[in-house]
Amino acid sequence: MVNKQHQSPETLASDGASPSGGNARFTGNNGKNAKDKRREPKRPRRVTRDYLMNYATWYLERFAASRARLEKLMRGKIRLSVAEYGTDPEEAVQWMNSVLSTCEKAGFINDDAYARGRARSLLRKGKAMRVIAADLSARGIASDQIDDAIRDLRAEADQAAYEEVRGTDPNIAAAAAYARRRRLGPWRRPDIREEKREKDMAALARQGFGYDTATRIINSDLDELNDLLSMIDGI
């Protein structure tokens, strides 16, 4: 038996319309077999406030999202419903805003927490601070919230760092984390390290790291970089 609470709103809505069993070789009254039916595009759902609330809940149970991201997704649902069913767009936007406010009040949407969590995750992956800021901006996070997230991230990284490297720019630690993940520079085999030096420098440059930072990472030994990585591994 299918557990409906793990299905999307679209899937739940179609349960009653789909046959419960039978031989897939049989054709229906319209002469189309099951394979042909699967190829038919699904009609969009008619948007109501309840539908938008169910959709928001379903999505947020599975993915972290900013308010802007969830709003963008729901606006897509609204556009389809307006085109297919003539849904009143102004009323639908009112429903959407009501759902977003409800989600914020319940704590399902929290852009401050989302920005901090995503910034931390990106730093662990070796992303430069300006790349992290750009990513948050693209996800609809306000500039003041981005500034707060970056400031908090710098403080958190510094607190996590070994005493020997406290006060170091976290961008340098992020470059080390990226080099470790991609096996660049000191993580390469000694016999090919020099041969790949320019390629490794270019890889760091493409990630948004400056020449001085890239040079420091590629020329360092592992002991020095392991100290730097305490800023990343400790957050």
Side-chain angles (χ1 to χ4, degrees), residues 157-185:
D158 196 58
Q159 185 175 6
Y162 294 157
E163 187 174 351
E164 293 82 359
V165 294
R166 283 186 180 167
T168 303
D169 184 352
N171 273 309
I172 300 174
Y178 183 79
R180 177 176 61 180
R181 188 158 64 94
R182 296 295 304 274
R183 310 299 296 176
L184 307 178

Side-chain angles (χ1 to χ4, degrees), residues 35-52:
K35 185 175 181 180
D36 291 332
K37 289 181 179 180
R38 286 198 298 270
R39 290 175 178 171
E40 293 178 354
K42 292 176 62 177
R43 292 186 70 193
R45 287 291 312 279
R46 185 190 299 272
V47 163
T48 64
R49 188 192 183 283
D50 285 345
Y51 168 74
L52 291 176

